[in-house]
Amino acid sequence: MADEQAHPTATEMDYPAHERNYSGFLKLFKYGMIATAIVAAIVIYTIAN
């Protein structure tokens, strides 16, 4: 086990680098927060009355 070697053709990054893009996450977070706020407002209104 001490003499394990990487595959001779393996490189550190032998796949294309992905562009870090958080736009999908931010969109999901934004609309999720809006939906949560609306539902919370309805629940609070219902409880208060």
Side-chain angles (χ1 to χ4, degrees):
M1 284 188 53
D3 49 86
E4 279 186 27
Q5 293 180 349
H7 192 274
T9 61
T11 61
E12 193 171 323
M13 301 277 280
D14 59 349
Y15 55 88
H18 295 297
E19 179 185 344
R20 282 229 162 145
N21 188 355
Y22 296 107
S23 64
F25 170 74
L26 292 175
K27 188 183 296 184
L28 178 69
F29 184 77
K30 180 175 69 174
Y31 289 117
M33 287 303 294
I34 291 170
T36 302
I38 291 171
V39 170
I42 292 170
V43 169
I44 291 171
Y45 178 78
T46 304
I47 291 173
N49 288 327

